[in-house]
Amino acid sequence: MATAAAAPVWSVDPRTGKRREQVAVEATAAEVDAAVRAARAARPALAARTARAALLRRAADLLDATGARVIEAADAETALGPGRLTGELARTTYQLRACADAADEGAFLDVRIDHADPSLTPPRPDLRRHKIPLGPVAVYAASNFPLAFSVPGGDTASALAAGCPVVVKAHPDHPATSELVAALLRRAAAETGLPEGVVGLVHGFDAGVELVRHPLIAAAGFTGSVRGGRALFDAAAARPHPIPFHGELGSLNPVVVTEAAAAERAAEIGVGLAASMTLGVGQFCVKPGLALVPEGPDGDRLLTALTAAVSDTEAGVLLDHRMRDAFVDGVRARAQLPGVEAPVTPGAGGDHTVGAGFLTLPAARLLDDPAAYALLLEECFGPVTVVVRHTGDDEAAAVLAQLPGNLTATLHLSAEESAGQDPAARGARLLAEATALAGRIVVNGWPTGVAVAPAQHHGGPYPATTSTATSVGATAIERWLRPVVHQDTPDALLPVELREGNPLGLPRWVDGRPERG
């Protein structure tokens, strides 16, 4: 029987919907297996943290040196624009270098040593704990960040810093960019004395499923839709040996504006909301998709400013025509719900573009029949937000109670509310409500923009993410590690990280106290 030809992988221009070039073919099960086995074979080469750091820094240098070509390729496939992509490239190389610094420092090893103490009841043996790499990691690239959350992005950088080789499933919206940057990462590996198999790349839906099911894959990182992420999450859990699946699936990112805040700066908040919800044509994972705005004259002034700012926003191109169709259908379905109004109607802006807009609804209607308005509480990918008009803190809190987990929650408080020290005060109460919902709480700002920093947390209760881990910041490395304890092991047989005298100069805890050699 003849074997079916492998399906071609095309690079498509989202500005026209036309194919640009054939980039690759979808990977077969055998090709996925080969990529995973190459990654597994490369694992010993990543044992030295100095080797990981060198790889990450060289990858950052090569991306910087090839920046113009990378940005051109990404813009041709995503229509995100050179300005946005220049910033994303800088973020990506910063992230790679930050992970290199973390690899050098080694704090993520979380070394803890408790010397034997026979005087305790019961007696304590000598215990030495640290963390080791899980093994090859499957990374699923994101549509909206062709660099920072794709082949050279945070999942890849943190996994390599942890000592885990990666196999990336390329996103179909930017396959040519994926091939280009994967080649740069493999070149960085070769130039730093590592096997190129430390970074593999496969294309195709079936390849993505094969990847998460492969018995040698030890963990997975995903950024995308609830539907796609949940299918892979379930597949990871259904394996004979389930694996950790760190998925970012979807988020509404609510914004709450108090009556006092609206009275204080209605126009400023309205303009800020417009800028945040339309940034990148509304294609950020932390786009505010729901805003709780007070009824009354101050809330009306906020909406007037929001209307003017959104009306001045030019139509934009989404990442692909499938997303465009989903956006147009999604806003139409929401606008048709009883009582929903559209001060600025979102939807199709042309054959290949969409126009920004927003919808409004009284909070009382939503609370009277939550099931009827459930669609308003789901993410709609693109430049739209839903403004729910509330009559006070109790009603705003009741709406928040209807929401699933989120990446972010934003509060706009007045100066007096922000300064209150009383736990029962308005600002403190809303802060507690928001904290139960999200992984990052923003006060008097906007959620779009996720700084790469040690204190950052990019995650939240399900469906925002499938785990409690972060995908941004140095602690993202911890996702790809597991702890191991050595008990009463002779010093000569211990991993060097756990030996007496701290020969590597690592940050360690010894007998309950910090130590650095």
Side-chain angles (χ1 to χ4, degrees), residues 157-172:
S158 59
L160 292 173
C164 298
V166 301
V167 179
V168 183
K169 190 274 180 185
H171 197 280

Side-chain angles (χ1 to χ4, degrees), residues 12-19 321 352:
V12 176
D13 183 348
R15 294 179 173 96
T16 64
K18 294 181 180 180
R19 291 174 173 175
H321 281 59
H352 307 290

Side-chain angles (χ1 to χ4, degrees), residues 133-416:
L134 289 173
V137 169
V139 171
Y140 293 83
S143 62
N144 56 340
F145 282 88
L147 304 174
F149 283 85
S150 291
V151 176
D155 284 349
T156 296
S158 59
L160 292 173
C164 298
V166 301
V167 179
V168 183
K169 190 274 180 185
H171 197 280
D173 279 352
H174 38 80
T177 307
S178 298
E179 286 285 347
L180 172 59
V181 295
L184 292 175
L185 265 61
R186 288 193 286 264
R187 177 180 160 191
E191 291 181 1
T192 53
L194 296 172
E196 294 186 8
V198 295
V199 178
L201 183 69
V202 296
H203 297 267
F205 175 84
D206 291 342
V209 177
E210 289 287 341
L211 189 57
V212 79
R213 290 175 175 168
H214 197 288
L216 296 182
I217 288 293
F222 171 91
T223 303
S225 68
V226 173
R227 181 180 178 184
R230 184 55 194 254
L232 291 170
F233 175 63
D234 290 346
R239 292 166 39 129
H241 297 283
I243 59 172
F245 184 90
H246 300 286
E248 179 190 321
L249 310 188
S251 184
L252 197 60
N253 306 301
V255 175
V256 180
V257 182
T258 66
E259 294 169 304
E264 198 171 77
R265 56 184 197 283
E268 176 187 332
I269 295 172
V271 171
L273 176 58
S276 188
M277 60 159 280
T278 61
L279 184 66
V281 202
Q283 296 175 111
F284 280 71
C285 53
V286 289
K287 178 205 76 175
L290 179 76
L292 291 161
V293 173
E295 294 275 12
D298 295 324
D300 292 344
R301 288 192 299 114
L302 190 157
L303 259 64
T304 297
L306 176 63
T307 297
V310 172
S311 298
D312 286 343
T313 304
E314 294 183 2
V317 176
L318 295 185
L319 293 162
D320 63 38
H321 281 59
R322 176 183 56 81
M323 291 183 187
R324 178 186 176 277
D325 292 344
F327 174 76
V328 172
D329 292 343
V331 295
R332 181 187 298 119
R334 288 164 172 79
Q336 290 174 348
L337 294 172
V340 172
E341 297 181 357
V344 182
T345 304
D351 291 341
H352 307 290
T353 61
V354 297
F358 68 96
L359 308 173
T360 65
L361 180 76
R365 294 201 67 154
L366 188 153
L367 293 171
D368 285 345
D369 193 357
Y373 295 98
L375 187 60
L376 297 180
L377 305 184
E378 295 179 11
E379 180 182 16
C380 186
F381 194 72
V384 64
T385 197
V386 175
V387 176
V388 174
R389 303 296 300 271
H390 68 83
T391 58
D393 294 349
D394 289 343
E395 206 168 55
V399 174
L400 289 179
Q402 301 291 324
L403 302 185
N406 288 271
L407 294 170
T408 70
T410 298
L411 303 179
H412 278 274
L413 309 174
S414 69
E416 182 179 351

Side-chain angles (χ1 to χ4, degrees), residues 35-117:
V36 174
R37 292 186 181 279
R40 174 63 178 259
R43 184 180 176 184
L46 289 175
R49 289 181 293 109
T50 52
R52 307 172 204 170
L55 166 61
L56 292 165
R57 292 193 178 99
R58 184 57 185 151
D61 290 344
L62 290 175
L63 282 165
D64 281 339
T66 320
R69 185 180 167 200
V70 170
I71 291 166
E72 181 182 13
D75 181 51
E77 293 188 302
T78 66
L80 289 173
R84 149 72 194 274
L85 289 166
T86 297
E88 187 179 337
L89 178 60
R91 172 201 172 92
T92 303
T93 56
Y94 177 85
Q95 196 164 241
L96 287 163
R97 293 185 177 105
C99 283
D101 291 343
D104 277 336
E105 183 190 30
F108 58 81
L109 297 172
D110 194 23
V111 178
R112 295 177 182 269
I113 296 173
D114 290 316
H115 290 102
D117 189 343

